[in-house]
Amino acid sequence: MVLVFFGKVDEVVKAGGIVRANGNVSQVRNVIAGKVTNIYFKPGQEVEEGNVLFTIDSSIYDSRRENLISEREKCLKTLDGLEELLKSYGEKRNCVSPENQVAYSRFESFMTGREKLLVQRNISFSALKNERALPQAMKNLKILNEKELAFSYDEKNLKSFEADFFRSLTQEKDELQLTFSKVEQEINQLDSQYEFLSILAPVRGFVQQLSSLNVGDYLEAGVPVVNLIPSKCESYKVEIQIPPKDMGKISEGLRVKYRLSAFPFFEYRGAEGVIQALDPDIRLAGAGTIAGSGSGGRNLSGGTASGLYYVVYADIDRVNFENRRGESFPIRAGLQTDARIVLKTQPLLTLIMRKMDLIN
């Protein structure tokens, strides 16, 4: 009877929650696509910053780089030959090294063709000169015009032949320089990708594997592989999923009572916290039901696995749980908890009278 008059009871909203490290959890993704060649971690293992977690097969990149290097060397050799050809053109003599057989033969062929045209032009010029030297009475205007046209034609052929050769050299040089620049760029880009073939731990922490990973698996670019939970975590938070029907009652500063499934209440007692922040928008529940909580496979919010929920964030006042024998165990990220959010505390008598509709 005394309990009825003087006892107090909490009005609560019950929900499910998960303990999270109160620090930055680093998600590791592979940057470029490829086949996994080696794995250097085990789930739950602690790794140091800079440790190699896994490697991606480099054979495709090695082959591509080898082809690009070969193409670059070919471009350089051809460019050197073109430079020598342009110099030879200016000096009208073969300055190309005989070792560069292609360029050397090309200029020799040009000089042979030029020599034939030059001889033909000289013959035409000599004929025109002789015709012009005849006495005025012996000159034939028609023959003179024909010889002038023949010389003009041969002169144009010679200049056109030289101009075409020079133009082809400069065009080839410009195109080859552009190709060389593109090849150089591809090599640099490829070299920059090599550092992503070894995936390193960005921070020190415990490995949480997000999906099955085996040697020989092909990973697409940007796929999340592991989370790294900070090794030294001095505080934790709890993500609590609230059904929409209860969200209107929740506000920052409300007290929360926890019962962690890993630490039975009757032996370890519970923990407490205070709501620190509320999610601004609703979410759609995906996979991740709490098993073994007597809920028949409910999700954290207590609704169906495909239901809607809000997330609120609360702190927790314990980092270790001690049982009745004095043994202490640390809290870990990922532990599930039942959360009771205290809306208000009222006398037990008031609650009974309200249930009996004796008061409002």
Side-chain angles (χ1 to χ4, degrees), residues 138-205:
M138 298 179 61
K139 287 182 179 179
N140 186 314
L141 186 59
K142 180 179 179 181
I143 294 175
L144 181 61
N145 288 338
E146 288 176 353
K147 292 187 181 297
E148 285 179 346
L149 287 172
F151 171 72
S152 177
Y153 177 79
D154 292 339
E155 179 75 7
K156 286 181 180 178
N157 274 349
L158 176 61
K159 290 183 178 180
S160 177
F161 180 77
E162 292 177 339
D164 288 346
F165 182 72
F166 180 76
R167 183 168 55 252
S168 67
L169 292 179
T170 54
Q171 286 179 347
E172 287 177 35
K173 181 182 175 182
D174 291 342
E175 291 172 1
L176 204 58
Q177 284 177 331
L178 181 61
T179 301
F180 178 80
S181 297
K182 290 181 178 178
V183 171
E184 277 282 276
Q185 187 177 7
E186 282 191 58
I187 291 174
N188 292 334
Q189 289 176 345
L190 198 61
D191 287 345
S192 68
Q193 289 181 318
Y194 269 87
E195 64 179 287
F196 301 119
L197 294 175
S198 294
I199 290 75
L200 309 180
V203 296
R204 180 184 179 185

Side-chain angles (χ1 to χ4, degrees), residues 119-135:
V119 169
Q120 181 62 41
R121 189 206 66 167
N122 289 340
I123 293 173
S124 299
F125 177 73
S126 179
L128 176 61
K129 185 178 178 182
N130 291 335
E131 186 66 28
R132 286 174 175 173
L134 291 173

Side-chain angles (χ1 to χ4, degrees), residues 234-262:
E234 298 178 354
S235 63
Y236 293 85
K237 62 184 177 183
V238 180
E239 291 183 5
I240 307 171
Q241 295 185 3
I242 308 296
K245 65 183 180 64
D246 293 325
M247 191 59 191
K249 309 171 188 175
I250 308 301
S251 61
E252 293 182 14
L254 290 179
R255 190 161 53 98
V256 186
K257 296 181 178 181
Y258 304 112
R259 295 188 179 188
L260 280 74
S261 57

Side-chain angles (χ1 to χ4, degrees), residues 275-347:
I275 292 178
Q276 303 293 327
L278 284 67
D279 229 11
D281 201 356
I282 201 166
R283 302 189 189 188
L284 176 63
T289 61
I290 297 181
S293 61
S295 59
R298 64 177 174 85
N299 66 8
L300 295 181
S301 67
T304 64
S306 60
L308 301 172
Y309 66 94
Y310 287 87
V311 173
V312 301
Y313 303 91
D315 58 14
I316 184 169
D317 62 357
R318 298 174 66 176
V319 295
N320 292 285
F321 280 78
E322 186 175 307
N323 60 23
R324 294 179 180 180
R325 297 185 296 276
E327 297 172 328
S328 181
F329 300 92
I331 196 171
R332 294 178 65 92
L335 293 180
Q336 297 171 352
T337 179
D338 286 329
R340 291 169 169 80
I341 302 172
V342 180
L343 302 178
K344 61 181 178 180
T345 301
Q346 58 185 339

Side-chain angles (χ1 to χ4, degrees), residues 46-66:
E46 184 178 17
V47 295
E48 299 292 332
E49 179 180 351
N51 283 171
V52 178
L53 298 176
F54 61 95
T55 56
I56 299 295
D57 184 15
S58 65
S59 59
I60 296 177
Y61 301 93
D62 293 338
S63 176
R64 176 60 180 157
R65 191 178 192 280
E66 185 177 338

